[in-house]
Amino acid sequence: MIYDFLIAPFAEFDFMKRALVGSLALALGSGPIGVFLMLRRLSLTGDAMAHAILPGAAVGYLIAGLSLPAMTIGGMVAGVTVAFLSGLVSRFTALKEDASLATFYLLSLALGVVLVSARGSNVDLLHVLFGTVLALDDAALFLIAGIATVSVLTLAAIYRPLVLECVDPGFLRSVSNAGAPVHMVFLALVVMNLVGGFHALGTLLAVGLMMLPAAAARMWTQDVTVMLILSAIGGAVSGYIGLLVSYHWSLPAGPAIILSAGGLYLASLAFGAQGGFVQRLVPVRHLEA
C-alpha cells in the first residue's frame, strides 16, 4: 500500500521520474536564490522578473515554436533587459525600483500573452503560463540541472559579499567595491532560475518554488546557511508531494507543486521555531531563579 502510493508512480512511469528530477533540480537552484531575495526584501522582484521573461520566450516561440533553445534565450534576454531598464528608470527618474518593476511586469505579461495568442492555440498559452512539468524532455532536464549547478557554484563563490550586502550594505560599500558586481551577478542568477522554472512551471508559477520554501525556512532558523539548506529541502519535498497529489487525484502538476509548497509555508507559520503562531501563544518565562 505504501509502495503503491509513495513510490510506484515514479518507479513505473518515466514522465513522473523526469518531473521529479526536474523538480529536485529546480529546488536546489531556486530555493537558495529565494532566501537572498527575501533577506534583501526583494521577494516581489522575483515575481516581477518571472513575468518579465514572458515576452522574450514568446518571441522565441513565434520564431521557432515550442523550441527550448529559442524560448530560453528569449526569456533570458527579456529578463536581463527588464532588470536593466527598471534600474535605469529608478536611477534617472522619480520612480522607485519597485514601481518601475511593477510597470514593466504588467507590460511584459500583457505583451507576452498577446504574442503567444497571435500564433498559438489556447493549449500553447496554457503551457507557457502554467508550464509542462510532466512533459520535460532530456534537453529541458539538462538545462534545469545546468542552471542549478551554475547557481550553487556561483552562490558559493559570492557567498560572503552577498550575505554582507543583505545584512549591512553600508559596511560592504565602505570596505569593498564588490557590491555592484555581486548585485548584477545575483540578478543574473535570478533570471536564469526563473527561465529554468518557466519551462517546468510556466511564467505564472516559476517564482513559487523560489519564494515559498524560502519563506518557510525563515520561520525555522535565523542562520543563513541553515536557511539555504532548508529552502532547498523544502522545495524538493514540495515537488515530491505535489507530483504525488497530481498523480493520485488527477490534478494539474504545476499548481499541485506550488500548493504543496504553500502548505509547507502555512505549517511553518503555525509551528515555526522563529516566531510561529504556536510559539507565540506559549508563555515564555524570564529571569527565573
Side-chain angles (χ1 to χ4, degrees):
M1 180 65 178
I2 295 178
Y3 174 85
D4 291 337
F5 189 83
L6 298 179
I7 301 175
F10 304 105
E12 297 176 3
F13 299 102
D14 287 340
F15 71 90
M16 291 292 290
K17 291 178 185 177
R18 294 174 182 274
L20 180 61
V21 171
S23 299
L24 295 178
L26 282 175
L28 179 63
S30 63
I33 297 292
V35 170
F36 286 111
L37 281 174
M38 179 185 61
L39 292 177
R40 299 175 70 177
R41 299 182 180 180
L42 295 174
S43 299
L44 290 178
T45 300
D47 187 51
M49 294 300 295
H51 294 84
I53 67 177
L54 182 56
V59 171
Y61 170 77
L62 290 177
I63 296 173
L66 293 173
S67 167
L68 180 70
M71 296 180 72
T72 298
I73 294 172
M76 287 187 176
V77 171
V80 171
T81 300
V82 168
F84 177 74
L85 290 177
S86 63
L88 285 181
V89 170
S90 63
R91 181 178 293 266
F92 295 107
T93 71
L95 282 178
K96 299 296 184 182
E97 189 172 10
D98 59 340
S100 61
L101 272 174
T103 303
F104 284 116
Y105 141 66
L106 293 171
L107 292 174
S108 298
L109 179 60
L111 178 60
V113 171
V114 169
L115 289 175
V116 174
S117 301
R119 174 175 172 177
S121 64
N122 289 335
V123 174
D124 295 327
L125 181 59
L126 288 175
H127 285 177
V128 169
L129 294 179
F130 298 105
T132 54
V133 67
L134 294 180
L136 293 175
D137 56 14
D138 289 344
L141 287 179
F142 279 121
L143 173 67
I144 295 172
I147 289 174
T149 302
V150 170
S151 297
V152 171
L153 294 177
T154 304
L155 286 178
I158 65 173
Y159 179 77
R160 288 189 177 183
L162 188 57
V163 171
L164 193 57
E165 189 184 23
C166 292
V167 298
D168 195 348
F171 176 74
L172 179 62
R173 286 194 296 270
S174 68
V175 300
S176 173
N177 294 323
V182 165
H183 181 69
M184 296 306 297
V185 171
F186 177 70
L187 285 181
L189 292 180
V190 172
V191 173
M192 288 172 57
N193 280 274
L194 288 174
V195 170
F198 161 79
H199 289 295
L201 300 173
T203 186
L204 294 183
L205 300 177
V207 74
L209 275 186
M210 183 175 287
M211 297 312 308
L212 288 172
R218 177 62 182 85
M219 300 303 299
W220 293 100
T221 182
Q222 293 183 349
D223 186 288
V224 176
T225 302
V226 177
M227 210 180 297
L228 297 176
I229 296 172
L230 289 180
S231 66
I233 294 174
V237 171
S238 300
Y240 174 74
I241 294 176
L243 289 172
L244 284 178
V245 170
S246 170
Y247 176 82
H248 289 294
W249 284 279
S250 300
L251 298 176
I257 291 173
I258 302 306
L259 285 175
S260 298
L264 180 66
Y265 168 68
L266 293 177
S268 299
L269 281 182
F271 303 105
Q274 297 294 327
F277 291 139
V278 172
Q279 185 196 47
R280 290 180 179 273
L281 293 175
V282 177
V284 179
R285 299 178 180 180
H286 297 281
L287 303 179
E288 284 190 341

